[in-house]
Amino acid sequence: MMDDLTGFQRDLLTVIAGLEGPNGLEIKSEMEDYYESTINHGRLYPNLDTLVERDLVEKTKQDERTNAYHVTDDGLALLEERREWESQYVQPTA
């Protein structure tokens, strides 16, 4: 299923997994730091919705205007599968 995701979606999944129930603005801030450019809402939220639709991320209400995002067990399994695959090709430097 990882091959169905864009690189941006994989990065979103990674960021969400590394934070405690982040909201959209927290995710946006982390992504902008990593990409070193502005991430607009028209790119961020449709991609978050895709991850939710694929049951990789759960969206919950943080308050009336804000959602929180949590990686599901399927999302965590997918990230672990990706790490294992990458470890075959990326060797740490000594």
Side-chain angles (χ1 to χ4, degrees):
M1 171 160 347
M2 187 62 86
D3 63 340
D4 290 347
L5 300 179
T6 66
F8 186 76
Q9 290 165 344
R10 285 193 306 266
D11 292 343
L12 283 173
L13 194 59
T14 300
V15 164
I16 296 166
L19 299 172
E20 293 251 344
N23 63 43
L25 291 177
E26 292 167 329
I27 296 166
K28 180 180 183 293
S29 176
E30 291 291 326
M31 294 293 284
E32 287 176 340
D33 286 348
Y34 178 70
Y35 280 89
E36 297 181 348
S37 65
T38 301
I39 306 294
N40 65 45
H41 287 33
R43 182 176 187 199
L44 178 66
Y45 290 101
N47 281 288
L48 286 171
D49 289 341
T50 297
L51 296 176
V52 170
E53 289 165 9
R54 294 186 182 182
D55 295 321
L56 301 173
V57 170
E58 178 183 30
K59 178 169 64 171
T60 59
K61 283 280 188 196
Q62 194 172 47
D63 60 39
E64 297 227 1
R65 298 184 63 210
T66 309
N67 293 312
Y69 296 88
H70 309 272
V71 176
T72 64
D73 289 342
D74 287 347
L76 291 172
L78 198 61
L79 286 170
E80 181 59 30
E81 181 182 305
R82 175 71 181 201
R83 276 194 275 283
E84 288 175 12
W85 178 80
E86 286 176 343
S87 71
Q88 296 176 51
Y89 302 101
V90 180
Q91 300 301 316
T93 56

